[in-house]
C-alpha cells in the first residue's frame, strides 16, 4: 500500500511542528501539505524546516480545501472554530480527520458529529496511550468507590496554554462521571473562589495550574475518610501526542465514517 498522504493544519504551532516531525519519523505515511491561517508569517516557509528537519519542498499554504482533496488524512491541533471548519472540509473531501484540539464547547462537538457522517473523525483531548489507559482506570475506580470518596482533578500546563480545564482533565472527568453513571455537566465544579461553601457530595472538581514549559501533568484524586487514592500521568514530551495522532490517522485509513476516540484506536474501549 502507498504511504498515507497527511496534511498538518496549524503546521507552525507547537503541536503542528511536532506532528510534521512524527510523520517524517513514521513509516507508512508522508506529509502532503501544511496549512496555516491566511496572513500567517509561516506562509511560504518549508514545513519540515520549521520542524527542525531538512527541507521537504512542502511549503506552508492557506488553501486547506486544495490540500485536503489531494490527501487521505488531516492532523488538526489548532483552535475549536478552526477545527469545526476543517472537519467540514475533511467531510467534503472524504478524508480522515484527527482532531486533537481542546477547549471544544457543545456547539463545536455537535458540528464535529455532523461532519462525522461523511468522514472518519478521531477526536481525543489526549492522544497518548498512558492517558487513555488512565481514563479506563479512573472509570473503574469511580465505579467501585461510592460518593463518600470525593473526586478532584488537578492539571498543570505551560504558560502559553489558552484553555482550561485541559482537554485531558475533561476526558478524565468524563471517565469518572461515566463510572458513577452521572453526567459530567451536572457534577462539574471548575471554579472555586471566595465563600463557596462546603463541598457538595458527588461533585467532580477541577483545578488548573499554568506556568513555565510544563508539557502536561494530570492527577485524579479520590479523597475518602482518612485515606486518599491518587492516579497520575506525566507527559514528558509532545512527541507522544503526535505519535498517537499519526497512529490514529493510519488506523482511520479506509474506515467507515463515524466519530471515534483514541480508546477505539488503542483497543481500550472494552477495558
Ligand atoms: N489531544 C492532544 O493529545 C493534544 C492536544 N493539544 C491541543 O492542540 C491545540 C494546539 O496546541 P498548540 O500546538 O500548543 O497551540 P499553538 O498555538 O502552538 O498552535 C496552534 C496553531 O494552529 C494555528 N491556527 C489557529 N487557527 C487556525 C486556522 N483557522 N487555520 C490554520 N491554522 C490555524 C495557529 O496559528 P496562529 O498562531 O496564527 O493562531 C497555530 O500555529 C490546543 O487546543 C491544545 O490543547 C495539544 C497537545 C496534545
Ligand atoms: O495544550 C497543551 O499543551 C496540551 N493540551 C491537551 C489538553 O488540553 O489536555 C493535551 C496535553 O495535556 C497538552
Amino acid at each position: 500500500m502507498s504511504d498515507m498522504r497527511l496534511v498538518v493544519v496549524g503546521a507552525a504551532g507547537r503541536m503542528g511542528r511536532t506532528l510534521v516531525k512524527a510523520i517524517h519519523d513514521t513509516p507508512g505515511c508522508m506529509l502532503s501539505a501544511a496549512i496555516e491561517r491566511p496572513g500567517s508569517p509561516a506562509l511560504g516557509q518549508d514545513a519540515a524546516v520549521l520542524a527542525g528537519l531538512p527541507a521537504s519542498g512542502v511549503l506552508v499554504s492557506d488553501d486547506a480545501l486544495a490540500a485536503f482533496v489531494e490527501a487521505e488524512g488531516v492532523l488538526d491541533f489548532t483552535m475549536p472554530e478552526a477545527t469545526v471548519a476543517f472537519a467540514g472540509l475533511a467531510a467534503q473531501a472524504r478524508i480522515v480527520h484527527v482532531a486533537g484540539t481542546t477547549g471544544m464547547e457543545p456547539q463545536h462537538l455537535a458540528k464535529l458529529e455532523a461532519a462525522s457522517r461523511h468522514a472518519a473523525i478521531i477526536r481525543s483531548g489526549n492522544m497518548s496511550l498512558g492517558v487513555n489507559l488512565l481514563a479506563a482506570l479512573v472509570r473503574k475506580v469511580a465505579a467501585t468507590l461510592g460518593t463518600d470518596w470525593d473526586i478532584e482533578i488537578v492539571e498543570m500546563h505551560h504558560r502559553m496554554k489558552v484553555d482550561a480545564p485541559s482537554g485531558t482533565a475533561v476526558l478524565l472527568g468524563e471517565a469518572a462521571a461515566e463510572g458513577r453513571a452521572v453526567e459530567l455537566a451536572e457534577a462539574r465544579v471548575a471554579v472555586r473562589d471566595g465563600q463557596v461553601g462546603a463541598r457538595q457530595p458527588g461533585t467532580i472538581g477541577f483545578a488548573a495550574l499554568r506556568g513555565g514549559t510544563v508539557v502536561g501533568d494530570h492527577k485524579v484524586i479520590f479523597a475518602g475518610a482518612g485515606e486518599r487514592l491518587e492516579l497520575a500521568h506525566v507527559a514528558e514530551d509532545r512527541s507522544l501526542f503526535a505519535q498517537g495522532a499519526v497512529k490514529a490517522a493510519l488506523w482511520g485509513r479506509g474506515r467507515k465514517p463515524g466519530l471515534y476516540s483514541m480508546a477505539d484506536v488503542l483497543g481500550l474501549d472494552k477495558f
Side-chain angles (χ1 to χ4, degrees):
M1 200 189 286
S2 59
D3 284 354
M4 186 176 187
R5 294 169 59 78
L6 296 176
V7 181
V8 174
V9 292
R14 278 176 291 277
M15 276 305 296
R17 293 170 199 235
T18 316
L19 290 160
V20 169
K21 172 91 172 45
I23 292 170
H24 176 267
D25 293 345
T26 308
C29 59
M30 59 172 285
L31 180 69
S32 66
I35 301 296
E36 269 292 340
R37 66 164 98 236
S40 164
L43 295 180
Q45 294 189 48
D46 191 296
V49 173
L50 283 175
L53 297 166
S56 62
V58 177
L59 305 185
V60 179
S61 133
D62 60 6
D63 192 348
L65 186 56
F68 285 18
V69 296
E70 297 295 330
E72 296 166 274
V74 53
L75 307 183
D76 178 352
F77 289 64
T78 55
M79 294 285 284
E81 289 298 341
T83 293
V84 165
F86 290 133
L89 296 181
Q92 276 184 53
R94 304 288 197 266
I95 63 172
V96 178
H97 184 196
V98 178
T101 305
T102 59
M104 308 278 279
E105 301 286 346
Q107 73 271 18
H108 302 123
L109 297 175
K111 288 180 182 159
L112 230 55
E113 180 103 45
S116 74
R117 288 201 285 272
H118 306 288
I121 299 183
I122 300 132
R123 183 186 87 85
S124 179
N126 196 302
M127 302 278 170
S128 79
L129 170 62
V131 158
N132 285 281
L133 193 53
L134 174 62
L137 295 172
V138 166
R139 190 178 306 110
K140 277 209 181 257
V141 175
T144 306
L145 300 175
T147 50
D148 51 337
W149 288 73
D150 300 323
I151 303 178
E152 292 286 317
I153 301 174
V154 184
E155 53 106 336
M156 181 159 186
H157 285 85
H158 55 93
R159 61 166 73 102
M160 301 306 289
K161 184 161 178 62
V162 295
D163 57 306
S166 70
T168 309
V170 174
L171 182 158
L172 295 169
E174 280 166 352
E178 221 176 290
R180 280 187 169 173
V182 297
E183 289 297 322
L184 181 61
E186 308 301 319
R188 167 179 172 148
V189 175
V191 180
R192 293 190 185 106
D193 187 21
Q195 289 286 326
V196 295
R199 195 180 195 286
Q200 292 296 311
T203 53
I204 297 174
F206 291 85
L209 314 183
R210 295 287 175 267
T213 57
V214 177
V215 173
D217 292 358
H218 293 88
K219 183 155 68 177
V220 181
I221 304 167
F222 293 85
E227 58 181 333
R228 233 167 32 248
L229 175 62
E230 301 187 348
L231 303 177
H233 180 266
V234 175
E236 296 178 349
D237 194 303
R238 279 187 184 86
S239 61
L240 83 154
F241 310 130
Q243 285 158 9
V246 171
K247 189 182 193 117
L250 292 167
W251 177 89
R253 194 181 198 185
R255 209 161 284 271
K256 68 177 194 310
L259 191 52
Y260 301 97
S261 69
M262 272 315 274
D264 296 322
V265 174
L266 298 167
L268 298 174
D269 46 338
K270 306 274 186 299
F271 185 86

